[in-house]
Amino acid sequence: MEEEDLLKDIDEMLSTGERQGSFFADFGNLPAIKEGPPPQVVVVFPLRRSVPFPGLIMPVTAESGMETAIMEKAMAQGRYVGLLFAPTEEDRRPTAPADYATTGVLAEVHKRIRLPDGGSNYICRGVRRFQVNRFVRLDKVPVAKVLYHEDIYPDEEETEALARNVLALSQKVASHNPSLGDGFNLAANNLDSSGGLADFSAAYLLANPPQKQAVLDQLDVRERLRLVDEGLTRELVTLELGDRIQAEIREKIEEQQKEYFLREQIKIIRRELGEEKDASEQDRDYFLGKLEENEYPEEVEEKVRAEVDRLGMIPTMSPEYPMARNYLEWLVELPWCQSSEDSIDIAKAEKLLDHDHYGLSDAKERILEFLGIRKMRPEHSGAILCFSGPPGVGKTSLAMAIAQSMGRKLERMSLGGMRDEAEIKGHRRTYVGALPGRILQMIRRAGTNNPVIVLDEVDKLGKDFRGDPSSALLEVLDPAQNHAFLDFFLDIPFDLSRVMFVATANVLHQIPAPLRDRMEIIELSGYVTQEKVQIARRHLLPRQLKEHGLEAKRLKISSPVVRQVIQEYTREAGVRGLDKALASLCRKRTLEVARRKRPRPEIKKTDLVKYLGQPKFYDDPIRLRPSVGVALGLAYTGYGGDVLEVECVSPGKGQAQGRVAYTGSLGDVMSESCRIAHSCLRALAGPLGLDEEKLEKQNLHVHFPAGAVPKDGPSAGIAIATAMISQLSGKPMKAKMAMTGEITLTGEVLAIGGVREKVLAAKRLGIKTVLLPEENKRDIEQLDDGWTRGLTFVYVRSIEDVVRAVFKSHSVKPS
C-alpha cells in the first residue's frame, strides 16, 4: 500500500506546478534533506557510461525528456535518487531489469545546472550502497524497491595491509595523471574507512566500467580492496609501458630535431665561412680524389678532368647529370693499372689438374706448357685457348683450374644465344641506360686488368639485325688488337692484352672461321669406359654422397656395377649423364635411410633396375651383325662419336631405272656422297665384280635411320658404297665392323676428321674392326693404348681395299 501511495504522489506532483518553486531553487536555498532512515523505494536514474560510488560528489547529466522527468520526480520526492549503471546503446533506453546493474548508490541531488542543449546537469552526492530488491515500475519513470547493507570487515590486519597497498598504488597511478593534482593524494590520505578508500580509488583511477561495477557490488571490504589492488596494478603497468613508449618516441623525435638543427647550424656556419659545398662540388672532390689515390693512364686522367669540369656546368636536377656522373664512375673504377701478381707453381698446377681431372693428358700437357711460358716470360701474351669437345668432358672446369693455378681472378660469360653486338662492345652514351659491354663489366667486377675470362659456348653465338657478336669478339681475341680495345660506352681504348681468355665449344665448325683462326684449339674427345669408371669412383660418387648426406658405408658401388651403369644407362662422351645416374642412386638410398630401413650397403647389378629403371641402351644385334644391304659407318656429332647405320634396298624398277634415292634428313654434302658412291660403283662395276646390267637397271634407295636427326659430312662415303654393294651382291658385311672415309668418283678413299671421337664410339658400342683411310693412320698412332686396346684397324686407299676388307671373299659377284 505504501508503494502505491508513493507512485501516486509522484504522478500528482509532476502533473501540477508545485515543482517549479523547489526545482529551480539555488543550491544554497535547497531545503535540508530530512534525517532518518533512507527510503526503501527510490526513483532510479540509469547511468550509461559511468558507475556511481557512495561518499563522492558526481555530476549527472540528464537529457531533456525521460531523463529530466526522472530527476524531477527525484527532486519532488525529497531529492533522493537511485543511480544504477545501465550500459545500453545510445539509441535504446533500458526497459528490462536485466538492463540494470543489481547494485547502485542512493544519492542526494543538491543543485541543477541548465545546459544550452536543453538538458541539465545535476550535482549529486552518493550516500549509501543499495541492492535492487525488485523494480516497482520500469515504464516512463523507473522505480525500485531497494535493500541497504553494511560493509563487512572480516580481517582487520589483512584489510589494513591491503588498504595501505591500495593507497600506495593510487598515489603512483595518480602521479601519471596531472589533472588529479595534489588534492587527490590529500583526499585519499584523509579517508577514514578502508571501504571508502577502495570506492574512492576505483571511482577516480579505474577506467573500465564493468571493473568499477564489480567493486561496487562487493560488500566484503577485503575482497573489494583486492579487486581495486588488481585493477590498479594493471593500470600502473599499462601507464608505465605507455610512458616508456612515449619517452622513446620523444627521445627519437628530439634526436632527429637535434640532428636537424645541428645540420642547419653547420650549413649556416659553413655559409658564413664560405665553405659550404653542394652535391656538384662533392662529386668533383670525389672524382679528383680518385685520381690522387689510384694510378691511371694519362689519357684517362685527362678525360676524367675534362668530364669533371663538364659535370660542374650541368645542373644537378638535370637528367643529363646522372648520366655524366655514371660515365665518370666507370672511368675511375675500372682497374686501368691494377694487376694481380701471378703465382705460378708448375708442380702445384700439375697436382691440381691431376686431382680435379682424370685423363685428358693432351689438354693438361698444353696447359702446363702455357703456364711454363708465363712463368719464364710473364709479359708473354700467349695463345687464346679454346677447349672443344662434347658436353660433360670438363671444358669449363679446366678453364677454372687455369685461373686457380695462376692465382688470378676468374670471370665467366656464357655466349649461348647472344645476338646483340652491344653485349660485347657496349652501348653509346646517347642511349638511355647505356652501359659498357660485358667484357669491361667483368673486369670491373674482378678488380684487376688481368683476370681469366672464360667465354663459354662460343660456338652458339647468333646474329640478327642488332649486329654480329662473333665479329665483335675478333677485336677482343686478337693479340695484335686487344691492347687498344675500344668500348662504345667508354670511348677510350682499354688494354685487354693482360687478360687471359679461355673459350669452350661443342662443335668447332659452327665457330666462324676468322674467330676460330685466332684461337688454339685443344680437343677433348671424351672418355673411354675405364676412364669413366675411375672418374665416377674418384670424383663423382664422393661428391654425390656428400651432397646427399650419406656416409661412404651407407652406399658402396663396385667397378663392375659402375661399368654396367655406363654401358646401359649413360652412353655419352662425357660424364654428365653418369653424374646424374649416381645422383639418382644416392637420392633413393637417402630416402631408404630416412624411412629407417636398413638396406645392404652394396648395390649389385641386379639392383640397378630397382633404382634406375629399365636399361636405356642395349647392343642392337642388327648393328653388330648387319644384314644384306646394311653397313655400319662412324659419325662425329656435337655430343661425341656415334655408329651410324646405312640401309640400302632395291624398291623395284619403276619408271626411272638405275636411279638412287636417299632419305634421313641429309645435308647437301651427304646427299652428294650418295650420288658419288652410286656413280663410283657404276664406273668400277667390272673391277668390283658387280653385274653392270643389273646396276644399270636396278633402282636403289639409301636411308639413314633416326630420320629426324640432321646428318651431314663426307665421311660416310665408303659406308654408303658398302651398303649398295651388299644390296647388289646379296652378301652381308662382316660382323662387328664399322668404317669411315670419304669416297671419290674414281674410288679413292680420302682422310676424314674426328678420328678419336669415332674410335671411342666404336669401342663403346662393341665394334672390333675399324676401317680408316690410310692417311688417318698417324691419328691412330697418337691415341693412348686405352683407346685402341681391343680394336683392329684396317687402313684402305681405294674402294677395292674396302671390298676386300669388308666381305668374306674377295669377289662380291653373286654366284
Side-chain angles (χ1 to χ4, degrees):
M1 191 67 184
E2 180 183 355
E3 297 171 3
E4 295 177 358
D5 294 341
L6 175 62
L7 294 174
K8 184 177 180 181
D9 293 340
I10 292 174
D11 292 336
E12 289 177 355
M13 291 179 67
L14 284 175
S15 62
T16 64
E18 297 177 1
R19 67 186 187 279
Q20 299 296 331
S22 61
F23 192 76
F24 295 107
D26 293 335
F27 181 79
N29 297 328
L30 284 174
I33 298 177
K34 298 179 181 180
E35 296 182 357
Q40 303 299 315
V41 179
V42 297
V43 176
V44 175
F45 185 89
L47 299 175
R48 297 177 184 274
R49 291 181 294 274
S50 61
V51 178
F53 281 94
L56 301 180
I57 296 176
M58 66 199 81
V60 176
T61 302
E63 297 179 355
S64 59
M66 180 60 67
E67 293 184 352
T68 303
I70 294 173
M71 296 304 293
E72 288 177 351
K73 286 188 178 183
M75 295 285 290
Q77 192 63 27
R79 298 203 304 273
Y80 280 119
V81 64
L83 301 179
L84 279 176
F85 180 52
T88 57
E89 293 81 0
E90 292 292 339
D91 58 347
R92 187 178 72 85
R93 57 183 294 269
T95 58
D99 294 335
Y100 293 87
T102 59
T103 304
V105 173
L106 179 68
E108 295 176 345
V109 182
H110 285 280
K111 188 176 182 179
R112 176 193 184 193
I113 302 173
R114 294 182 179 181
L115 300 177
D117 60 355
S120 300
N121 204 349
Y122 296 89
I123 306 300
C124 302
R125 181 177 67 87
V127 179
R128 292 191 62 178
R129 274 182 176 80
F130 67 75
Q131 288 185 338
V132 177
N133 185 11
R134 65 186 179 85
F135 279 92
V136 178
R137 176 194 288 176
L138 282 174
D139 57 339
K140 297 182 180 179
V141 178
V143 179
K145 185 175 183 181
V146 299
L147 302 175
Y148 300 94
H149 301 283
E150 298 294 334
D151 289 344
I152 303 172
Y153 290 85
D155 188 348
E156 291 295 335
E157 294 183 0
E158 186 176 356
T159 303
E160 182 66 22
L162 285 170
R164 291 181 180 179
N165 195 27
V166 167
L167 179 61
L169 286 172
S170 299
Q171 293 174 347
K172 291 181 180 179
V173 174
S175 65
H176 290 273
N177 190 351
S179 63
L180 294 178
D182 296 333
F184 177 85
N185 294 335
L186 182 63
N189 286 322
N190 290 327
L191 291 173
D192 296 333
S193 65
S194 300
L197 175 63
D199 293 340
F200 182 77
S201 299
Y204 283 99
L205 301 179
L206 296 184
N208 189 7
Q211 192 176 9
K212 288 184 177 183
Q213 184 62 42
V215 174
L216 184 65
D217 292 340
Q218 188 59 250
L219 296 176
D220 190 321
V221 175
R222 181 181 60 185
E223 295 300 324
R224 189 188 307 169
L225 288 168
R226 195 181 302 279
L227 290 174
V228 176
D229 187 290
E230 294 176 359
L232 291 177
T233 302
R234 285 193 292 268
E235 190 71 20
L236 182 61
V237 171
T238 303
L239 290 172
E240 289 178 347
L241 178 61
D243 290 344
R244 186 164 64 252
I245 294 174
Q246 187 67 23
E248 292 177 358
I249 295 175
R250 185 183 303 110
E251 181 181 355
K252 184 177 180 180
I253 294 176
E254 289 176 354
E255 184 68 25
Q256 292 176 350
Q257 291 177 342
K258 178 182 177 181
E259 182 178 353
Y260 172 76
F261 286 123
L262 287 176
R263 290 188 181 277
E264 290 298 320
Q265 290 175 2
I266 290 174
K267 287 182 179 180
I268 294 173
I269 294 172
R270 285 182 174 176
R271 188 180 299 115
E272 292 296 328
L273 296 175
E275 297 178 356
E276 185 178 11
K277 297 181 180 179
D278 57 12
S280 177
E281 292 180 355
Q282 292 177 3
D283 288 339
R284 177 185 178 88
D285 292 343
Y286 170 76
F287 293 121
L288 293 180
K290 282 286 188 179
L291 292 181
E292 300 296 331
E293 294 174 4
N294 302 316
E295 183 181 357
Y296 297 93
E298 182 178 354
E299 183 181 4
V300 176
E301 187 171 346
E302 293 176 357
K303 185 70 172 178
V304 170
R305 295 187 185 278
E307 288 294 324
V308 167
D309 294 339
R310 177 174 172 268
L311 188 68
M313 295 184 292
I314 303 175
T316 55
M317 301 303 294
S318 173
E320 191 177 353
Y321 187 87
M323 297 172 61
R325 192 183 189 283
N326 182 42
Y327 177 62
L328 274 170
E329 284 183 352
W330 276 98
L331 283 179
V332 299
E333 292 184 8
L334 277 174
W336 297 89
C337 301
Q338 288 78 37
S339 303
S340 61
E341 186 176 352
D342 291 344
S343 57
I344 300 176
D345 186 342
I346 300 299
K348 180 181 177 181
E350 186 174 6
K351 184 177 180 181
L352 176 66
L353 291 172
D354 290 337
H355 180 268
D356 293 341
H357 303 83
Y358 185 84
L360 307 177
S361 56
D362 293 342
K364 292 179 183 177
E365 185 68 21
R366 181 61 187 89
I367 293 173
L368 293 176
E369 291 173 0
F370 176 83
L371 296 178
I373 297 174
R374 281 298 179 97
K375 182 176 182 180
M376 299 303 295
R377 190 169 181 266
E379 65 275 10
H380 178 71
S381 60
I384 296 173
L385 304 181
C386 177
F387 296 110
S388 172
V393 297
K395 301 184 296 296
T396 304
S397 61
L398 275 176
M400 295 180 179
I402 293 176
Q404 189 175 357
S405 302
M406 299 181 69
R408 291 191 180 189
K409 296 290 185 66
L410 175 69
E411 294 291 334
R412 177 182 173 272
M413 177 171 64
S414 178
L415 301 178
M418 184 180 293
R419 296 178 177 273
D420 192 354
E421 180 183 351
E423 293 284 346
I424 306 296
K425 300 280 287 184
H427 300 80
R428 298 190 183 278
R429 281 178 289 158
T430 54
Y431 295 103
V432 177
L435 284 175
R438 296 275 297 278
I439 300 294
L440 291 188
Q441 289 182 33
M442 289 187 292
I443 291 177
R444 178 186 179 184
R445 189 164 54 245
T448 62
N449 62 2
N450 61 341
V452 176
I453 294 182
V454 180
L455 303 175
D456 222 355
E457 310 294 348
V458 71
D459 59 323
K460 296 178 177 59
L461 281 170
K463 62 179 179 179
D464 57 13
F465 64 93
R466 290 169 290 187
D468 185 2
S470 63
S471 299
L473 279 177
L474 296 178
E475 181 183 0
V476 175
L477 301 182
D478 192 348
Q481 302 180 44
N482 62 10
H483 65 280
F485 172 70
L486 188 63
D487 187 276
F488 290 151
F489 180 84
L490 286 186
D491 202 24
I492 297 179
F494 190 91
D495 186 5
L496 296 180
S497 61
R498 295 176 176 269
V499 180
M500 181 178 180
F501 292 97
V502 180
T504 68
N506 294 130
V507 184
L508 276 179
H509 68 81
Q510 293 183 1
I511 304 176
L515 188 60
R516 188 169 64 244
D517 183 61
R518 284 164 168 77
M519 299 182 292
E520 179 178 345
I521 308 299
I522 299 178
E523 296 187 7
L524 308 178
S525 303
Y527 302 102
V528 294
T529 303
Q530 294 84 347
E531 292 175 333
K532 289 184 180 181
V533 171
Q534 295 300 322
I535 292 173
R537 295 182 61 82
R538 295 185 184 185
H539 303 285
L540 304 183
L541 184 58
R543 185 179 74 245
Q544 291 297 340
L545 290 174
K546 182 179 180 180
E547 290 182 358
H548 289 82
L550 289 174
E551 299 177 358
K553 63 180 180 180
R554 295 281 191 179
L555 179 63
K556 296 181 181 180
I557 305 177
S558 61
S559 297
V561 176
V562 175
R563 186 183 302 273
Q564 184 169 345
V565 172
I566 294 170
Q567 294 176 348
E568 296 184 356
Y569 294 91
T570 62
R571 286 188 177 176
E572 57 179 346
V575 293
R576 192 167 293 163
L578 177 59
D579 192 30
K580 294 178 181 178
L582 294 177
S584 178
L585 289 174
C586 292
R587 284 197 306 270
K588 296 183 183 303
R589 178 52 54 90
T590 302
L591 179 60
E592 291 178 347
V593 174
R595 288 175 172 172
R596 300 184 180 276
K597 296 182 179 181
R598 294 185 178 180
R600 64 178 185 273
E602 298 83 5
I603 291 184
K604 297 182 179 180
K605 293 183 178 180
T606 55
D607 298 330
L608 292 180
V609 176
K610 170 186 174 183
Y611 287 101
L612 300 178
Q614 293 296 327
K616 300 178 181 178
F617 304 98
Y618 56 90
D619 291 334
D620 189 351
I622 299 177
R623 281 180 152 235
L624 297 180
R625 298 183 179 277
S627 59
V628 174
V630 178
L632 299 182
L634 296 175
Y636 172 73
T637 68
Y639 301 96
D642 195 11
V643 175
L644 188 66
E645 190 173 293
V646 183
E647 300 176 341
C648 181
V649 297
S650 298
K653 294 182 180 181
Q655 296 181 354
Q657 299 179 359
R659 301 295 181 88
V660 59
Y662 35 86
T663 55
S665 298
L666 307 184
D668 294 338
V669 177
M670 188 168 284
S671 300
E672 292 176 356
S673 296
C674 294
R675 293 196 297 269
I676 291 172
H678 188 244
S679 299
C680 176
L681 296 186
R682 294 176 66 178
L684 301 177
L688 294 178
L690 298 175
D691 188 343
E692 296 183 14
E693 183 179 356
K694 183 177 182 180
L695 184 59
E696 291 291 336
K697 295 181 180 181
Q698 190 168 359
N699 292 335
L700 296 178
H701 184 173
V702 179
H703 176 67
F704 293 80
V709 180
K711 310 171 189 67
D712 203 3
S715 62
I718 62 173
I720 297 172
T722 300
M724 291 179 178
I725 294 173
S726 176
Q727 175 62 33
L728 293 170
S729 63
K731 292 185 178 181
M733 63 177 289
K734 294 180 180 179
K736 297 184 179 181
M737 175 180 286
M739 62 195 71
T740 179
E742 180 180 357
I743 193 172
T744 68
L745 287 174
T746 59
E748 295 183 7
V749 179
L750 304 182
I752 44 84
V755 174
R756 285 185 291 184
E757 289 79 3
K758 295 176 180 180
V759 170
L760 178 61
K763 185 176 181 66
R764 186 174 68 244
L765 295 177
I767 300 297
K768 299 301 182 182
T769 305
V770 177
L771 266 68
L772 291 172
E774 182 72 26
E775 296 180 8
N776 289 116
K777 184 176 182 179
R778 58 179 179 270
D779 296 324
I780 300 299
E781 294 174 351
Q782 295 177 0
L783 298 179
D784 294 336
D785 294 339
W787 291 61
T788 59
R789 187 179 298 113
L791 294 176
T792 301
F793 295 94
V794 178
Y795 303 101
V796 295
R797 292 179 176 271
S798 63
I799 187 64
E800 290 87 352
D801 297 338
V802 173
V803 171
R804 284 192 292 268
V806 170
F807 298 100
K808 296 182 179 179
S809 60
H810 295 339
S811 176
V812 297
K813 188 173 183 179
S815 56

